[in-house]
Amino acid sequence: MIALLARDLKLSVRAGGGALIGVLFFMTVVAVIPFGVGPDLNLLARIGPAILWIGALLASLLGLDRLFQAEREDGSLDLILMQETPLVLTVFVKCVAHWITTGLPLVIASPLLGLFMNMDEVAIGATTLTLLAGTPAITFIGAAGAGIAVALPRGGLLVSILVLPLAIPVLIFGVSAVYAAIQEPAPFLPPFLILVALNLFFAVIGPVAAAAALRLSSD
């Protein structure tokens, strides 16, 4: 599994563009918001956490269709299906590698974009923490969609359509946790723990669903 993780990380680096495109898209979404809502700094600070979460969610959808596409094109997907290692575990490791190369850069870029949205230190810290806890869930959800669309020539749009409704609870509790941290009377821990629970839930359900979809697509 460590070898598979290192292999996927190397392939992502050699392919290039995945993490950079995601971060650039994330920055673009955040950068155009002030032009739409005007130069009201108080308004930008108030909607900043939601905008960062929406931008990170949309940026995370960009590369999900490539999760199993390379293996499908070079024929190694058949070898993965026939190996003795449980397919669920293999899918889980591939999801971790995908998040490290695409989701983690979004988390790292979020504090800088938070400053761009005139957010204070508490809001920036809470947003970064919730993105760190929530973006892996989007990858695990996307694995199931990528497994369904892997046999399709243009499955990228289908993956986004399948993943987006399931990712809405992650978005809701992620944003709720940030606003709870900003507003003193509202407790931060309950929505954040629900966000972590969603992450753990999809970490189990996502690879199982993706493994089943990959087996069906190979039949």
mmCIF file of all heavy atoms in Angstrom, residues 92-120:
data_model
loop_
_atom_site.group_PDB
_atom_site.id
_atom_site.type_symbol
_atom_site.label_atom_id
_atom_site.label_comp_id
_atom_site.label_asym_id
_atom_site.label_seq_id
_atom_site.Cartn_x
_atom_site.Cartn_y
_atom_site.Cartn_z
ATOM 1 N N PHE A 92 -8.944 3.151 -1.263
ATOM 2 C CA PHE A 92 -8.716 4.075 -0.150
ATOM 3 C C PHE A 92 -7.351 4.752 -0.272
ATOM 4 O O PHE A 92 -7.228 5.971 -0.091
ATOM 5 C CB PHE A 92 -8.817 3.332 1.180
ATOM 6 C CG PHE A 92 -8.581 4.191 2.389
ATOM 7 C CD1 PHE A 92 -9.607 4.949 2.923
ATOM 8 C CD2 PHE A 92 -7.331 4.261 2.980
ATOM 9 C CE1 PHE A 92 -9.401 5.750 4.030
ATOM 10 C CE2 PHE A 92 -7.107 5.064 4.084
ATOM 11 C CZ PHE A 92 -8.142 5.809 4.616
ATOM 12 N N VAL A 93 -6.327 3.979 -0.587
ATOM 13 C CA VAL A 93 -4.980 4.541 -0.730
ATOM 14 C C VAL A 93 -4.925 5.514 -1.899
ATOM 15 O O VAL A 93 -4.305 6.582 -1.808
ATOM 16 C CB VAL A 93 -3.949 3.416 -0.911
ATOM 17 C CG1 VAL A 93 -2.568 3.989 -1.216
ATOM 18 C CG2 VAL A 93 -3.878 2.567 0.352
ATOM 19 N N LYS A 94 -5.595 5.192 -3.004
ATOM 20 C CA LYS A 94 -5.616 6.096 -4.144
ATOM 21 C C LYS A 94 -6.340 7.394 -3.801
ATOM 22 O O LYS A 94 -5.950 8.467 -4.269
ATOM 23 C CB LYS A 94 -6.276 5.410 -5.352
ATOM 24 C CG LYS A 94 -5.437 4.297 -5.956
ATOM 25 C CD LYS A 94 -6.104 3.712 -7.189
ATOM 26 C CE LYS A 94 -6.162 4.725 -8.301
ATOM 27 N NZ LYS A 94 -4.827 5.126 -8.779
ATOM 28 N N CYS A 95 -7.379 7.310 -2.982
ATOM 29 C CA CYS A 95 -8.080 8.518 -2.554
ATOM 30 C C CYS A 95 -7.177 9.395 -1.686
ATOM 31 O O CYS A 95 -7.180 10.626 -1.826
ATOM 32 C CB CYS A 95 -9.340 8.145 -1.777
ATOM 33 S SG CYS A 95 -10.664 7.427 -2.774
ATOM 34 N N VAL A 96 -6.411 8.767 -0.805
ATOM 35 C CA VAL A 96 -5.482 9.528 0.042
ATOM 36 C C VAL A 96 -4.448 10.240 -0.816
ATOM 37 O O VAL A 96 -4.143 11.422 -0.609
ATOM 38 C CB VAL A 96 -4.814 8.598 1.067
ATOM 39 C CG1 VAL A 96 -3.708 9.334 1.821
ATOM 40 C CG2 VAL A 96 -5.845 8.058 2.051
ATOM 41 N N ALA A 97 -3.890 9.520 -1.798
ATOM 42 C CA ALA A 97 -2.897 10.133 -2.682
ATOM 43 C C ALA A 97 -3.509 11.274 -3.489
ATOM 44 O O ALA A 97 -2.877 12.327 -3.679
ATOM 45 C CB ALA A 97 -2.318 9.070 -3.625
ATOM 46 N N HIS A 98 -4.744 11.090 -3.947
ATOM 47 C CA HIS A 98 -5.407 12.145 -4.715
ATOM 48 C C HIS A 98 -5.653 13.375 -3.864
ATOM 49 O O HIS A 98 -5.470 14.511 -4.314
ATOM 50 C CB HIS A 98 -6.729 11.603 -5.266
ATOM 51 C CG HIS A 98 -7.459 12.577 -6.134
ATOM 52 N ND1 HIS A 98 -8.376 13.474 -5.638
ATOM 53 C CD2 HIS A 98 -7.394 12.808 -7.478
ATOM 54 C CE1 HIS A 98 -8.858 14.203 -6.629
ATOM 55 N NE2 HIS A 98 -8.291 13.824 -7.748
ATOM 56 N N TRP A 99 -6.057 13.169 -2.591
ATOM 57 C CA TRP A 99 -6.303 14.318 -1.717
ATOM 58 C C TRP A 99 -5.008 15.057 -1.407
ATOM 59 O O TRP A 99 -4.996 16.297 -1.343
ATOM 60 C CB TRP A 99 -6.953 13.859 -0.417
ATOM 61 C CG TRP A 99 -7.173 14.999 0.531
ATOM 62 C CD1 TRP A 99 -8.191 15.919 0.502
ATOM 63 C CD2 TRP A 99 -6.336 15.383 1.628
ATOM 64 N NE1 TRP A 99 -8.047 16.835 1.511
ATOM 65 C CE2 TRP A 99 -6.915 16.541 2.223
ATOM 66 C CE3 TRP A 99 -5.169 14.861 2.161
ATOM 67 C CZ2 TRP A 99 -6.345 17.167 3.321
ATOM 68 C CZ3 TRP A 99 -4.597 15.483 3.261
ATOM 69 C CH2 TRP A 99 -5.184 16.627 3.832
ATOM 70 N N ILE A 100 -3.916 14.339 -1.220
ATOM 71 C CA ILE A 100 -2.643 14.988 -0.918
ATOM 72 C C ILE A 100 -2.210 15.894 -2.063
ATOM 73 O O ILE A 100 -1.681 16.993 -1.847
ATOM 74 C CB ILE A 100 -1.553 13.933 -0.626
ATOM 75 C CG1 ILE A 100 -1.856 13.230 0.701
ATOM 76 C CG2 ILE A 100 -0.165 14.574 -0.558
ATOM 77 C CD1 ILE A 100 -0.910 12.084 1.009
ATOM 78 N N THR A 101 -2.469 15.477 -3.292
ATOM 79 C CA THR A 101 -2.003 16.251 -4.447
ATOM 80 C C THR A 101 -3.004 17.299 -4.923
ATOM 81 O O THR A 101 -2.621 18.220 -5.640
ATOM 82 C CB THR A 101 -1.680 15.306 -5.619
ATOM 83 O OG1 THR A 101 -2.838 14.497 -5.919
ATOM 84 C CG2 THR A 101 -0.516 14.400 -5.268
ATOM 85 N N THR A 102 -4.266 17.180 -4.550
ATOM 86 C CA THR A 102 -5.272 18.136 -5.031
ATOM 87 C C THR A 102 -5.997 18.861 -3.904
ATOM 88 O O THR A 102 -6.263 20.064 -4.005
ATOM 89 C CB THR A 102 -6.317 17.431 -5.922
ATOM 90 O OG1 THR A 102 -6.962 16.392 -5.169
ATOM 91 C CG2 THR A 102 -5.663 16.845 -7.160
ATOM 92 N N GLY A 103 -6.352 18.162 -2.834
ATOM 93 C CA GLY A 103 -7.091 18.789 -1.755
ATOM 94 C C GLY A 103 -6.220 19.545 -0.773
ATOM 95 O O GLY A 103 -6.572 20.649 -0.327
ATOM 96 N N LEU A 104 -5.073 18.967 -0.426
ATOM 97 C CA LEU A 104 -4.185 19.623 0.535
ATOM 98 C C LEU A 104 -3.687 20.981 0.048
ATOM 99 O O LEU A 104 -3.607 21.931 0.851
ATOM 100 C CB LEU A 104 -3.014 18.702 0.870
ATOM 101 C CG LEU A 104 -2.078 19.161 1.991
ATOM 102 C CD1 LEU A 104 -2.840 19.387 3.279
ATOM 103 C CD2 LEU A 104 -0.955 18.144 2.201
ATOM 104 N N PRO A 105 -3.326 21.150 -1.248
ATOM 105 C CA PRO A 105 -2.945 22.499 -1.710
ATOM 106 C C PRO A 105 -4.045 23.530 -1.530
ATOM 107 O O PRO A 105 -3.757 24.709 -1.283
ATOM 108 C CB PRO A 105 -2.618 22.280 -3.195
ATOM 109 C CG PRO A 105 -2.196 20.852 -3.288
ATOM 110 C CD PRO A 105 -3.066 20.135 -2.293
ATOM 111 N N LEU A 106 -5.307 23.123 -1.627
ATOM 112 C CA LEU A 106 -6.409 24.064 -1.400
ATOM 113 C C LEU A 106 -6.453 24.500 0.059
ATOM 114 O O LEU A 106 -6.710 25.679 0.354
ATOM 115 C CB LEU A 106 -7.737 23.410 -1.782
ATOM 116 C CG LEU A 106 -7.884 22.922 -3.228
ATOM 117 C CD1 LEU A 106 -9.236 22.263 -3.424
ATOM 118 C CD2 LEU A 106 -7.689 24.066 -4.206
ATOM 119 N N VAL A 107 -6.203 23.571 0.961
ATOM 120 C CA VAL A 107 -6.172 23.908 2.387
ATOM 121 C C VAL A 107 -5.028 24.871 2.679
ATOM 122 O O VAL A 107 -5.179 25.837 3.438
ATOM 123 C CB VAL A 107 -6.038 22.621 3.228
ATOM 124 C CG1 VAL A 107 -5.952 22.964 4.720
ATOM 125 C CG2 VAL A 107 -7.214 21.687 2.967
ATOM 126 N N ILE A 108 -3.874 24.627 2.071
ATOM 127 C CA ILE A 108 -2.712 25.482 2.291
ATOM 128 C C ILE A 108 -2.946 26.887 1.740
ATOM 129 O O ILE A 108 -2.505 27.888 2.327
ATOM 130 C CB ILE A 108 -1.465 24.853 1.653
ATOM 131 C CG1 ILE A 108 -1.143 23.514 2.347
ATOM 132 C CG2 ILE A 108 -0.264 25.778 1.733
ATOM 133 C CD1 ILE A 108 -0.022 22.746 1.692
ATOM 134 N N ALA A 109 -3.666 26.981 0.619
ATOM 135 C CA ALA A 109 -3.912 28.288 -0.004
ATOM 136 C C ALA A 109 -5.020 29.079 0.685
ATOM 137 O O ALA A 109 -5.123 30.296 0.481
ATOM 138 C CB ALA A 109 -4.266 28.100 -1.479
ATOM 139 N N SER A 110 -5.850 28.430 1.495
ATOM 140 C CA SER A 110 -7.013 29.107 2.075
ATOM 141 C C SER A 110 -6.658 30.263 3.019
ATOM 142 O O SER A 110 -7.375 31.273 3.006
ATOM 143 C CB SER A 110 -7.904 28.089 2.795
ATOM 144 O OG SER A 110 -7.205 27.444 3.835
ATOM 145 N N PRO A 111 -5.586 30.207 3.836
ATOM 146 C CA PRO A 111 -5.296 31.386 4.682
ATOM 147 C C PRO A 111 -4.986 32.646 3.881
ATOM 148 O O PRO A 111 -5.438 33.741 4.246
ATOM 149 C CB PRO A 111 -4.075 30.929 5.496
ATOM 150 C CG PRO A 111 -4.165 29.448 5.532
ATOM 151 C CD PRO A 111 -4.728 29.063 4.204
ATOM 152 N N LEU A 112 -4.252 32.501 2.790
ATOM 153 C CA LEU A 112 -3.950 33.658 1.954
ATOM 154 C C LEU A 112 -5.216 34.235 1.336
ATOM 155 O O LEU A 112 -5.411 35.462 1.311
ATOM 156 C CB LEU A 112 -2.953 33.265 0.865
ATOM 157 C CG LEU A 112 -2.574 34.367 -0.142
ATOM 158 C CD1 LEU A 112 -1.917 35.535 0.580
ATOM 159 C CD2 LEU A 112 -1.664 33.817 -1.221
ATOM 160 N N LEU A 113 -6.092 33.380 0.873
ATOM 161 C CA LEU A 113 -7.337 33.855 0.285
ATOM 162 C C LEU A 113 -8.265 34.423 1.353
ATOM 163 O O LEU A 113 -9.085 35.298 1.059
ATOM 164 C CB LEU A 113 -8.024 32.712 -0.466
ATOM 165 C CG LEU A 113 -7.227 32.177 -1.664
ATOM 166 C CD1 LEU A 113 -7.964 31.019 -2.315
ATOM 167 C CD2 LEU A 113 -6.962 33.269 -2.682
ATOM 168 N N GLY A 114 -8.143 33.922 2.590
ATOM 169 C CA GLY A 114 -8.909 34.504 3.678
ATOM 170 C C GLY A 114 -8.523 35.946 3.939
ATOM 171 O O GLY A 114 -9.378 36.796 4.220
ATOM 172 N N LEU A 115 -7.239 36.253 3.846
ATOM 173 C CA LEU A 115 -6.795 37.642 3.963
ATOM 174 C C LEU A 115 -7.353 38.489 2.830
ATOM 175 O O LEU A 115 -7.705 39.655 3.022
ATOM 176 C CB LEU A 115 -5.263 37.700 3.961
ATOM 177 C CG LEU A 115 -4.551 37.080 5.168
ATOM 178 C CD1 LEU A 115 -3.037 37.107 4.951
ATOM 179 C CD2 LEU A 115 -4.917 37.819 6.448
ATOM 180 N N PHE A 116 -7.440 37.907 1.657
ATOM 181 C CA PHE A 116 -7.992 38.627 0.507
ATOM 182 C C PHE A 116 -9.456 38.982 0.737
ATOM 183 O O PHE A 116 -9.937 40.009 0.237
ATOM 184 C CB PHE A 116 -7.843 37.765 -0.747
ATOM 185 C CG PHE A 116 -8.266 38.444 -2.015
ATOM 186 C CD1 PHE A 116 -7.423 39.342 -2.635
ATOM 187 C CD2 PHE A 116 -9.497 38.185 -2.589
ATOM 188 C CE1 PHE A 116 -7.809 39.982 -3.810
ATOM 189 C CE2 PHE A 116 -9.892 38.815 -3.756
ATOM 190 C CZ PHE A 116 -9.038 39.717 -4.366
ATOM 191 N N MET A 117 -10.171 38.130 1.528
ATOM 192 C CA MET A 117 -11.585 38.380 1.823
ATOM 193 C C MET A 117 -11.771 39.184 3.106
ATOM 194 O O MET A 117 -12.888 39.277 3.619
ATOM 195 C CB MET A 117 -12.323 37.040 1.943
ATOM 196 C CG MET A 117 -12.362 36.234 0.662
ATOM 197 S SD MET A 117 -13.286 37.035 -0.668
ATOM 198 C CE MET A 117 -14.936 37.000 -0.004
ATOM 199 N N ASN A 118 -10.695 39.752 3.641
ATOM 200 C CA ASN A 118 -10.744 40.600 4.843
ATOM 201 C C ASN A 118 -11.253 39.839 6.073
ATOM 202 O O ASN A 118 -11.918 40.393 6.946
ATOM 203 C CB ASN A 118 -11.637 41.822 4.596
ATOM 204 C CG ASN A 118 -11.435 42.908 5.647
ATOM 205 O OD1 ASN A 118 -10.308 43.184 6.058
ATOM 206 N ND2 ASN A 118 -12.523 43.514 6.102
ATOM 207 N N MET A 119 -10.922 38.543 6.167
ATOM 208 C CA MET A 119 -11.318 37.734 7.310
ATOM 209 C C MET A 119 -10.295 37.895 8.430
ATOM 210 O O MET A 119 -9.107 38.065 8.171
ATOM 211 C CB MET A 119 -11.438 36.264 6.898
ATOM 212 C CG MET A 119 -12.548 35.997 5.902
ATOM 213 S SD MET A 119 -12.412 34.395 5.065
ATOM 214 C CE MET A 119 -12.282 33.260 6.440
ATOM 215 N N ASP A 120 -10.761 37.814 9.679
ATOM 216 C CA ASP A 120 -9.846 37.938 10.801
ATOM 217 C C ASP A 120 -9.155 36.603 11.086
ATOM 218 O O ASP A 120 -9.406 35.592 10.417
ATOM 219 C CB ASP A 120 -10.568 38.452 12.045
ATOM 220 C CG ASP A 120 -11.721 37.547 12.462
ATOM 221 O OD1 ASP A 120 -11.746 36.370 12.065
ATOM 222 O OD2 ASP A 120 -12.609 38.022 13.199
#
